[in-house]
């Protein structure tokens, strides 16, 4: 029953997805923004302990509930840990009503043909089996489009779809994330190419099945309306991509039907030094702002 309830929440829930999935490469920056300098830890293990404490503080905050945060994307190590004495994914769904997803990508290849493809994912089958065992609903996999190269964009969508079909075969829902770099000089043209490639790629989704898409907020408002309406798409969510929270929310509000899946824009203004009261107030304000933009 819980999986059916998760599906209903992802299809129709009025809210957004929190991206709590910073990996080894992005964790030091996330901690610095949280007020934790690199001098505060000596080993990678200590670094991951600190970022887990930040994630757990967010997840256990009073304002972090499924009423507005309908899902959350976890880093693999977070899935393997506990929050408030329960396995992380179980805590999110059972205590907060937040649908758990898992980041499965292992980083990016070097730029080529205007894109950065996904690196290989060793042990993908076993990782997906572990995700199922932990009660994870779906996965997320990020690659990056750097410019309007039609061949590169076709390649990146094909790779995303290949991986998405492997995820679907395990009974999980993939969030395909071909991010368009917000600093691309031809961002608008790249987004037009991406739309065409995705509409073609979605023909590969088996009848009656659905994927999700995580995309950069487009320059042209409502560009992705055909994807939002597509029967093979459960939800289209937006990454903040380096935009400030205010900017990301203003842009998102121009795209009805697209909901947020923010990381930096969610944690902006949070600090390890804040009292719990101040932290919870700041987080609730962020959640309210992002929720409003996602439901406008």
């Amino acid at each position: 029953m819980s999986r059916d309830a998760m599906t209903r929440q992802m299809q129709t829930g009025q809210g957004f997805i929190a991206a709590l999935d910073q990996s080894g490469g992005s964790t030091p920056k996330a901690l610095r923004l949280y007020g934790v300098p690199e001098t505060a830890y000596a080993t990678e293990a200590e670094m991951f302990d600190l970022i887990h404490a930040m994630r757990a503080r967010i997840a256990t905050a009073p304002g972090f509930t499924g009423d507005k945060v309908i899902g959350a994307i976890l880093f693999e190590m977070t899935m393997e840990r506990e929050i408030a004495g329960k396995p992380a994914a179980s805590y999110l769904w059972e205590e907060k009503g937040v649908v758990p997803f898992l980041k499965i990508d292992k980083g990016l290849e070097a730029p080529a043909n205007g894109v950065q493809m996904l690196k290989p994912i060793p042990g993908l089958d076993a990782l997906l089996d572990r995700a199922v065992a932990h009660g994870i609903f779906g996965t997320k996999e990020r690659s990056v489009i750097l410019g309007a190269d039609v061949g590169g964009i076709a390649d990146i969508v094909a790779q995303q779809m290949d991986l998405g079909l492997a995820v679907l075969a395990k009974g999980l829902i993939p969030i395909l994330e071909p991010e368009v770099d917000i600093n691309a000089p031809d961002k608008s043209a790249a987004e037009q190419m991406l739309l065409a490639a995705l509409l073609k790629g979605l023909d590969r989704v088996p009848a009656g099945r659905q994927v999700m898409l995580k995309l950069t907020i487009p320059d042209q408002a409502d560009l992705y309306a055909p994807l939002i309406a597509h029967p093979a798409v459960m939800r289209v969510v937006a990454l903040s991509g380096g935009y400030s929270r205010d900017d990301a929310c203003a842009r998102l509000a121009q795209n009805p039907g697209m909901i947020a899946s923010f990381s930096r824009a969610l944690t902006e203004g949070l600090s390890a030094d804040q009292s719990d009261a101040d932290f919870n107030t700041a987080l609730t304000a962020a959640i309210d702002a992002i929720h409003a933009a996602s439901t406008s």
Side-chain angles (χ1 to χ4, degrees), residues 12 16 27 53 65 76 89 108 123-124 130 149 177 193 199 216 230 248 283:
T12 62
F16 68 95
T27 294
T65 71
E76 184 179 346
L108 303 170
L124 174 64
R130 289 206 330 272
D149 184 304
E177 185 182 5
M193 292 175 184
L199 288 170
T216 307
H230 198 290
L283 179 61

Side-chain angles (χ1 to χ4, degrees), residues 127 185 198 206 234 271 278:
L127 175 59
L198 285 170
M234 182 176 290
S271 171
D278 288 346

Side-chain angles (χ1 to χ4, degrees), residues 33-182:
L33 293 171
Y34 185 53
V36 179
E38 292 183 46
T39 53
Y41 49 91
T43 66
E44 189 175 76
E46 290 175 352
M47 177 185 76
F48 283 123
D49 285 345
L50 289 165
I51 197 72
H52 183 71
M54 181 186 90
R55 291 167 177 154
R57 194 180 189 192
I58 291 169
T60 56
F64 193 90
T65 71
D67 292 338
K68 294 181 179 178
V69 185
I70 61 172
I73 304 168
L74 304 178
F75 180 50
E76 184 179 346
M77 197 176 290
T78 308
M79 179 184 76
E80 302 287 1
R81 296 192 183 209
E82 294 186 346
I83 296 174
K86 297 186 76 166
S90 297
Y91 175 83
L92 284 171
W93 179 243
E94 295 169 9
E95 302 298 327
K96 292 301 189 103
V98 175
V99 176
F101 290 81
L102 176 68
K103 167 190 163 72
I104 61 170
D105 64 82
K106 301 300 181 184
L108 303 170
E109 299 280 15
N113 300 321
V115 300
Q116 287 185 272
M117 303 282 282
L118 294 162
K119 286 183 175 178
I121 306 174
L124 174 64
D125 198 60
L127 175 59
L128 295 177
D129 286 341
R130 289 206 330 272
V132 171
H134 276 276
I136 293 289
F137 177 74
T139 65
K140 190 211 78 166
E141 38 272 3
R142 170 182 175 263
S143 47
V144 177
I145 295 166
L146 302 170
D149 184 304
V150 68
I153 290 172
D155 289 344
I156 216 168
V157 169
Q159 185 188 45
Q160 286 277 347
M161 289 302 310
D162 288 345
L163 182 53
L165 293 176
V167 171
L168 281 174
K170 291 288 187 177
L172 298 166
I173 301 297
I175 301 178
L176 311 182
E177 185 182 5
E179 172 182 346
V180 177
D181 189 328
I182 65 169

Side-chain angles (χ1 to χ4, degrees), residues 22-29 47-48:
Q22 297 91 350
S23 60
S26 56
T27 294
K29 181 175 182 179
M47 177 185 76
F48 283 123

